[in-house]
Amino acid sequence: MSAGLNSESDVNPSQPTTEKTLADFDPVKKPKGNKFAFVCAILASMASILLGYDIGVMSGAKDYIKIDLKLSDTQVGLLVGTLNWYSLVGSAAAGVTSDWIGRRYTIVVAGAVFFAGALLMGFSTNYEFLMVARFVAGIGVGFALMIAPVYTAEVSPASSRGFLTSFPEVFINAGILIGYVSNYAFSKLPTNLGWRIMLGVGAIPSVFLALVVIGMPESPRWLVMQGRLGDARKVLDKTSNTKEESQQRLSDIKEAAGIPQDCNNDAVRVQKKSHGEGVWKELFIHPTRPVRHILLCVIGIHFFQQASGIDAVVLYSTNIFEKAGITSSNDKLLATVAVGFTKTVFILVATFLLDRIGRRPLLLSSVGGMVLSLATLGFGLTIIDHSHEKLPWAVALSIAMVLAFVAFFSIGMGPIAGVYSSEIFPLRLRAQGTGMGVAVNRVTSGVISTTFIMLYKAISIGGAFFLFAGIATVAWVFFFACFPETRGRTLEDMEVLFGNFISWRSVLKDGKKEEEVHGGNDGQIQMGTKA
């Protein structure tokens, strides 16, 4: 028996014993969050503010653009929604680009492209020019949406990954709030000038983003995939809570990258540097069972996040409030600021709960609340639609349910889509796999935001929200059946959870039994969480 397992009776009585104090019996304190990783996550997540600002500002600017350029409802829908379609080009390109030039410089590309798009939108002279500008801005948004969660997940220690990888969603919400405030601030300007300034101001955060990236390190996982072990070791030492955790993270990444554990040179020759070759084939043509399950979860959560109507509420909030009985333009813009403020407050709450409560409980609670608020909003708007006089209680109910919906969305569904999809893919598939999730997200958002006006004119605005409530109900069942908990696991440990679809619970139970039998020290897969 090793010395570490000796009982107290085996201790040499000649050796002095150390008296224990009450402090010795205190529970082990969790390591403090790594400040360097925290700063890196904030800087990278700032890329997401580009999408948030565009969503928020377009919510109000579209009304002034419609008046100034004399657009139809169909043209407005295309103007608002097609940026999501255009972002597909950016998200697809970002997956390959980030594997080629690295995660950090891909963030610079995102900022530069959106900067050009924002300036073009601000100087647009007609509808056609504006649509071209939206195309350029959409590519920048696609780059930002894909790269921010990937970089943040790869630089974060497992103990705080949920907290840190929720930052992109925090900045999306901050961008939406800033966009709403911009609408209100510039709404007093002449119509032909106000909307141009609203859109053009979006160039400012992209400049700041490109500048701050200079102080960020490259992703340690990308560095290992390029054979740059020395550089990866330096980044891991800075972004880990302890030296031992840094060494363990490097060991896990080396194993995932196929590099021998005894290879400790600063630079090594890898068999084939990862620039994304063959990834699409492994994702869609010959996927393993775990990859197929992961892909289903990622596509599912991104589809349901948008299909449940969040962009319809955020982009068309002025239309919804008008249908609810608010007629003053000033009051409608103030109400949208309340929406943005509510989203931002609750996403901040979610960031502190992800690593305490876990992804799964938050997600199920969030979607359940969304179902209830959407159904109640549909009821309130239907009552208003069929009433010949103004009903203050129905107006108040509808406004309250809009705020409740964005609050429930922000507490779970909003941040978890990015957190979950960026952490469950294997290293070799992470960039393109996350890009695929973003693509599904943007396609679904594009369909909803482009057709929402036509939808509520066809089935009534109350009917539209009953439809969204039904979709959210299906989403709750899907998440309950297929989504395992990932809190506390290292990125390299995720595949253990996936591959059995709705039977993943039995796999976890079997793994725990095996761990109990072998004492967790037999070198097999460890099913306990890793901090």
Side-chain angles (χ1 to χ4, degrees), residues 8 34 61 67 82 105 136 141 151 163 182 189 209 221 267 274 282 294 351-352 369 377 410 478 484 500 524:
E8 290 183 8
N34 185 283
I67 296 171
T82 48
Y105 289 114
V136 177
V141 165
Y151 176 90
F163 172 65
S182 175
L189 295 175
L209 173 67
R221 288 171 171 84
S274 173
E282 191 171 353
I294 289 170
T351 61
F352 293 99
L377 176 59
S410 297
F478 172 72
N500 291 275
Q524 303 296 319

Side-chain angles (χ1 to χ4, degrees), residues 63-64 76 106 130 172 226 253 280 339 384 420 448 450 468 479 511:
D63 298 331
Y64 300 102
V76 171
T106 303
L130 187 55
I172 288 177
Q226 308 308 307
I253 299 170
W280 297 114
V339 171
I384 292 171
Y420 206 85
I448 297 296
T450 303
F468 292 145
F479 297 145

Side-chain angles (χ1 to χ4, degrees), residues 441-465:
N441 188 291
R442 293 299 89 199
V443 167
T444 310
S445 175
V447 171
I448 297 296
S449 54
T450 303
T451 62
F452 180 68
I453 294 177
M454 293 181 282
L455 177 67
Y456 78 66
K457 285 186 175 181
I459 65 173
S460 81
I461 193 161
F465 285 103

Side-chain angles (χ1 to χ4, degrees), residues 115 159 169 276 390 419:
F115 174 79
S159 59
E169 187 69 20
K390 189 170 183 178
V419 170

Side-chain angles (χ1 to χ4, degrees), residues 430-512:
R430 189 168 299 136
Q432 279 87 342
T434 304
M436 175 53 59
V438 171
V440 171
N441 188 291
R442 293 299 89 199
V443 167
T444 310
S445 175
V447 171
I448 297 296
S449 54
T450 303
T451 62
F452 180 68
I453 294 177
M454 293 181 282
L455 177 67
Y456 78 66
K457 285 186 175 181
I459 65 173
S460 81
I461 193 161
F465 285 103
F466 282 129
L467 175 62
F468 292 145
I471 293 172
T473 302
V474 175
W476 192 95
V477 175
F478 172 72
F479 297 145
F480 180 82
C482 297
F483 275 52
E485 179 58 68
T486 59
R487 177 171 62 106
R489 288 184 175 270
T490 64
L491 295 179
E492 287 67 38
D493 189 35
M494 289 295 176
E495 282 187 87
V496 173
L497 299 172
F498 296 90
N500 291 275
F501 299 93
I502 61 174
S503 303
W504 57 268
R505 294 174 184 82
S506 61
V507 175
L508 284 181
K509 290 178 182 178
D510 293 341
K512 288 178 181 178

Side-chain angles (χ1 to χ4, degrees), residues 20 49 61 63 80 119 129 173 232 253 270 274 287 348 403 457:
K20 292 186 176 182
I49 206 170
D63 298 331
V80 171
L119 286 184
F129 194 132
N173 283 272
I253 299 170
V270 291
S274 173
L348 289 173
L403 298 178
K457 285 186 175 181

Side-chain angles (χ1 to χ4, degrees), residues 210-342:
L211 292 175
V212 298
V213 167
I214 297 173
M216 292 165 49
E218 184 51 84
S219 158
R221 288 171 171 84
W222 183 83
L223 292 170
V224 170
M225 294 295 283
Q226 308 308 307
R228 296 166 56 183
L229 299 186
D231 292 335
R233 191 178 296 111
K234 292 176 183 177
V235 177
L236 287 170
D237 286 344
K238 291 181 178 180
T239 58
S240 299
N241 295 320
T242 63
K243 189 73 173 180
E244 291 75 18
E245 182 186 35
S246 172
Q247 293 171 351
Q248 183 60 48
R249 288 174 70 187
L250 180 59
S251 176
D252 291 341
I253 299 170
K254 286 164 66 176
E255 181 180 355
I259 297 175
Q261 293 296 335
D262 58 356
C263 185
N264 294 310
N265 297 330
D266 286 347
V268 300
R269 183 181 295 276
V270 291
Q271 291 183 346
K272 187 178 183 182
K273 288 193 176 182
S274 173
H275 299 315
E277 303 91 339
V279 169
W280 297 114
K281 185 182 293 184
E282 191 171 353
L283 275 173
F284 295 107
I285 300 177
H286 303 297
T288 61
R289 279 184 64 85
V291 169
R292 196 178 295 124
H293 186 184
I294 289 170
L295 197 61
L296 174 68
C297 289
V298 169
I299 289 175
I301 194 169
H302 279 285
F303 169 77
F304 284 119
Q305 186 199 54
Q306 294 300 328
S308 54
I310 185 62
D311 275 3
V313 171
V314 174
L315 281 165
Y316 293 98
S317 53
T318 54
N319 302 66
I320 296 168
F321 289 133
E322 184 175 349
K323 289 288 185 180
I326 300 177
T327 55
S328 166
S329 296
N330 194 59
D331 290 344
K332 284 188 289 185
L333 290 176
L334 279 175
T336 63
V337 172
V339 171
F341 180 77
T342 302

